[in-house]
Amino acid sequence: MATSSIGPGFLTQTTVFTQQLAASFAFVILISLILDVFAQMNVWRIICVSGLRGQEVANKVLPGLGVVLAILIVIGGLAFNIGNVAGAGLGLNAMMGLDPITGAIISAVVAIFIFVVKEAGKAMDKFAQFAGVVMILLMLYVAFKTSPPVGEAIINTVKPEQISWFAIVTLVGGTVGGYITFAGGHRLLDAGVKGIESLPEVTKSSVTGIVATGIMRVALFLAVLGVVTQGLAIDAANPPASVFQLAAGNIGYRIFGVIMWAAAITSVVGAAYTSVSFIRSFHPKIEKYHKWTIIAFIIVSTATFALVGKPVNILILVGALNALILPIALGTLLVAAHKKSIVGAYKHPLWLTIPGVFVVIIMGILGVKTLIEQLPLLFK
């Protein structure tokens, strides 16, 4: 659904990078989408053919590797959740003018309540779905009103004036990094979609999800590009909210705050739940007290953000951090794809293996490079 794809990291990253790169960001979107598709298709196919969860596949590749992978995914999920909490703080800042840290603490309390009370969770899901539809309509309105240079964007898609590998790494990490791509594959398993006969459905689902995200990113990119090309100053403290304020006035700003908060609060609960699910089976006590583990996950995320602050920096950085986990996870599953003991008679196609290896290499090198460069900025 809309708010699953358009989370706080998605909104902030797209806005900041469009502001920095202008029309050249179109090239970043194209390259990141190509990397996303090949990463997700490989992971989902291998999970569904094997009928095993990601950590279980890793343990069959090398005993103990599944534990390492699960720990990395939980660490990446924690980083992502810090970003979600930061996004919730920015949402309340736009909605009510609250300090982002204060807003994040309030949002964490609400998230825990939503998790504990099932009825509240169902109501929040419906509200988030409605907010997602409003977000798309508001985004299209802003793109139409600001009249972005579409022709220039199309040219820069294939012939960019500047290239930012950090932006590419961040977008890929935010879309298919860390726990995210595994969560989709695991959901298919839970729905009974597995085995070689399910491959057409798996391929369709993986590509459709990435394309839908790409369409929404392009719409937001054009909306921000229209504001940028008009020479309007975007507030660095809350860039995406500022775009909607400049284009649609204070009403647009407040509405955006509600949408941002809805997207973030549901992501806080979802990221905590999914991340903990990777380690629930490792110890009976984790399984027994998994609800308390999830609540602790939310509290730690919020406390970390409260100590560090800088919500915009965090929302940008978490994408790069999760990008580091992708090459390890994807590399492990590519090895598994060629082991008969894991996938049986299935033959993983070269047209997926070769691009998959390329994604592993490029994301490994660029992920380390960009994280080393950007991490110190978080603490300045």
Side-chain angles (χ1 to χ4, degrees):
M1 199 56 196
T3 47
S4 296
S5 299
I6 312 179
F10 177 104
L11 295 164
T12 304
Q13 291 160 11
T14 304
T15 303
V16 170
F17 288 134
T18 302
Q19 189 180 9
Q20 292 174 358
L21 303 172
S24 295
F25 187 56
F27 174 78
V28 172
I29 293 174
L30 175 64
I31 298 301
S32 64
L33 284 174
I34 293 172
L35 295 175
D36 289 343
V37 165
F38 282 111
Q40 187 148 293
M41 283 181 69
N42 273 293
V43 172
W44 285 23
R45 283 173 72 100
I46 298 163
I47 285 175
C48 291
V49 166
S50 67
L52 301 170
R53 293 178 178 272
Q55 65 269 33
E56 294 169 339
V57 173
N59 272 332
K60 283 186 172 289
V61 170
L62 182 67
L65 183 57
V67 177
V68 174
L69 181 61
I71 291 172
L72 288 173
I73 287 171
V74 170
I75 292 172
L78 179 63
F80 213 85
N81 222 30
I82 294 168
N84 290 332
V85 170
L90 288 177
L92 285 183
N93 172 260
M95 194 194 318
M96 304 170 63
L98 292 177
D99 174 76
I101 292 177
T102 302
I105 294 171
I106 293 171
S107 299
V109 173
V110 174
I112 292 171
F113 177 77
I114 289 171
F115 172 69
V116 173
V117 182
K118 289 184 179 180
E119 289 73 17
K122 291 177 182 178
M124 190 66 210
D125 283 343
K126 290 190 176 183
F127 174 68
Q129 291 171 5
F130 172 75
V133 174
V134 175
M135 161 61 77
I136 294 170
L137 294 175
L138 187 60
M139 200 156 50
L140 292 173
Y141 168 75
V142 172
F144 176 79
K145 187 175 180 182
T146 56
S147 301
V150 177
E152 185 181 347
I154 292 173
I155 293 171
N156 274 267
T157 302
V158 293
K159 191 178 179 182
E161 295 177 6
Q162 55 181 319
I163 298 174
S164 170
W165 291 109
F166 173 55
I168 293 172
V169 168
T170 301
L171 261 61
V172 173
T175 307
V176 296
Y179 74 91
I180 304 170
T181 191
F182 279 109
H186 290 180
R187 279 198 296 271
L188 288 175
L189 284 185
D190 292 338
V193 180
K194 57 184 176 180
I196 296 176
E197 65 279 1
S198 69
L199 286 179
E201 183 180 349
V202 172
T203 301
K204 181 181 177 182
S205 297
S206 58
V207 173
T208 301
I210 296 299
V211 170
T213 301
I215 291 171
M216 288 184 270
R217 196 183 294 277
V218 168
L220 179 58
F221 157 63
L222 291 174
V224 179
L225 184 62
V227 171
V228 170
T229 53
Q230 288 184 21
L232 301 174
I234 296 175
D235 183 6
N238 199 343
S242 176
V243 167
F244 285 87
Q245 183 179 32
L246 291 168
N250 284 330
I251 293 177
Y253 183 70
R254 302 299 180 193
I255 291 174
F256 177 83
V258 175
I259 295 167
M260 177 82 152
W261 183 80
I265 202 73
T266 51
S267 296
V268 168
V269 178
Y273 180 86
T274 306
S275 297
V276 171
S277 72
F278 280 89
I279 59 170
R280 281 178 60 173
S281 61
F282 288 167
H283 196 280
K285 286 193 175 180
I286 298 177
E287 177 64 36
K288 183 178 179 181
Y289 299 107
H290 73 274
K291 286 189 176 181
W292 288 105
T293 307
I294 292 168
I295 291 171
F297 197 90
I298 295 172
I299 292 172
V300 171
S301 304
T302 307
T304 304
F305 170 60
L307 290 172
V308 176
K310 300 189 177 182
V312 175
N313 298 49
I314 287 175
L315 285 166
I316 299 296
L317 190 62
V318 292
L321 180 59
N322 273 279
L324 274 175
I325 300 170
L326 178 61
I328 299 171
L330 178 56
T332 299
L333 265 68
L334 285 172
V335 172
H338 299 278
K339 282 183 170 287
K340 287 186 177 181
S341 59
I342 298 175
V343 297
Y346 169 70
K347 301 286 186 183
H348 198 59
L350 276 178
W351 66 267
L352 275 178
T353 300
I354 293 172
V357 171
F358 175 77
V359 174
V360 169
I361 295 171
I362 195 73
M363 292 303 292
I365 295 172
L366 294 177
V368 171
K369 181 177 181 293
T370 54
L371 196 63
I372 290 173
E373 291 175 352
Q374 298 296 322
L375 191 60
L377 300 178
L378 188 62
F379 301 98
K380 279 188 177 182

